[in-house]
Every structure is written in structure tokens, then in C-alpha cells.
Amino acid sequence: MDALLEAALAARKHAHAPFSGFQVGAALEDDSGRIHTGCNVENATYGLTICAERVAVFKAISEGARKFRRVAVAADTGALTPPCGACRQILWEFCGDIEVLLVNLEGRSESLRLKDLFPRPFDATFLS
Ligand code: THU
């Protein structure tokens, strides 16, 4: 299996999801090939929960990475789990039209482009 998919599946095991029970892992590959992982981290307020994808992006940014090639998202669902709307916005801002790989625990995977998941985005080009 692709190392990025394996990294997302491994990161999922660290999920802190006591409220939903829905565990998600993410793995983001930067332009040097380094993989930055994340899992969802839930909060008792619910609203402060952060998704696996955003954890991976923010970890990567905080470690100096700025260009990204691919992101993988792992969850235990038959219909492969895509990034939520908030994560699509964050991924677009930091990664642009990145390849998005979805994978489940059976190892079934799919490759998508972020622009197809997130058409007509609002981004910094509107602010200039
Ligand atoms: N979640 C993610 O981490 N990523 C997704 O792509 C979908 C949703 C998390 C948020 C929350 O902890 C749980 O899954 C249920 O929504």
C-alpha cells in the first residue's frame, strides 16, 4: 500500500474521539516527501473539536512546510470519508488543488482533486 495511505491509517489510531466514536487519520505529504500526520481531537464542548486534516495541516505549517503534494484521509466507512467543508477551505488555502486520497480500513482507496471537492472557493485572491 502507498506509504501515505498507511500513514493516515496509522495516525487514525491516535484519534481522540470519545464523543462521536468516529476516528479519522490524515497524512499530508510536503514537497520534500516528508509526511505530516494528524488525527481528530474532540472536545467536551463539541464545537472546539478539530478534524484530522486540519491537525495535519497546522502541524506541517508549524514545522516550516509550505508546499504540499498530496493528502490522505482514513476512516472506517464503506463510503469513503471525504474532508468536511471547513477542512476543504483550510486545505485549499495552504495546499491549493492538491490530490486528495481517501482510504478505509479494508484498504479501499480513491483519488480526487481538491478543486472537484471544493469548486469556486473563496480565497486570498479576493482580498487584493
Ligand atoms: N472528522 C474528521 O476528523 N475529518 C473528516 O473528514 C470528517 C470528520 C471528525 C470530526 C469529529 O471528531 C468526528 O470526525 C465526527 O464528525
Side-chain angles (χ1 to χ4, degrees):
M1 185 187 282
D2 187 320
L4 197 68
L5 300 181
E6 282 178 347
L9 286 162
R12 179 184 165 275
K13 293 186 179 155
H14 299 300
H16 176 72
F19 306 110
S20 72
F22 191 77
Q23 300 174 308
V24 186
L28 180 61
E29 182 182 76
D30 70 24
D31 64 347
S32 73
R34 184 172 166 200
I35 293 175
H36 307 264
T37 60
C39 62
N40 54 330
V41 182
E42 297 189 345
N43 185 272
T45 63
Y46 291 20
L48 292 179
T49 290
I50 181 164
C51 293
E53 297 89 326
R54 276 176 284 159
V55 170
V57 170
F58 296 151
K59 276 176 64 188
I61 293 294
S62 74
E63 288 168 13
R66 286 295 182 273
K67 289 194 174 143
F68 303 98
R69 292 177 185 155
R70 305 184 296 160
V71 64
V73 181
D76 184 15
T77 54
L80 299 175
T81 298
C84 78
C87 289
R88 293 178 199 198
Q89 177 72 33
I90 294 293
L91 285 166
W92 182 265
E93 290 213 25
F94 288 104
C95 310
D97 182 27
I98 195 171
E99 181 183 6
V100 180
L101 296 153
L102 313 179
V103 64
N104 69 11
L105 297 202
E106 284 133 36
R108 198 156 57 73
S109 65
E110 182 182 355
S111 167
L112 303 161
R113 300 300 307 190
L114 187 59
K115 72 171 164 39
D116 297 322
L117 284 171
F118 196 54
R120 201 169 172 177
F122 174 81
D123 60 22
T125 61
F126 289 92
L127 300 176
S128 52

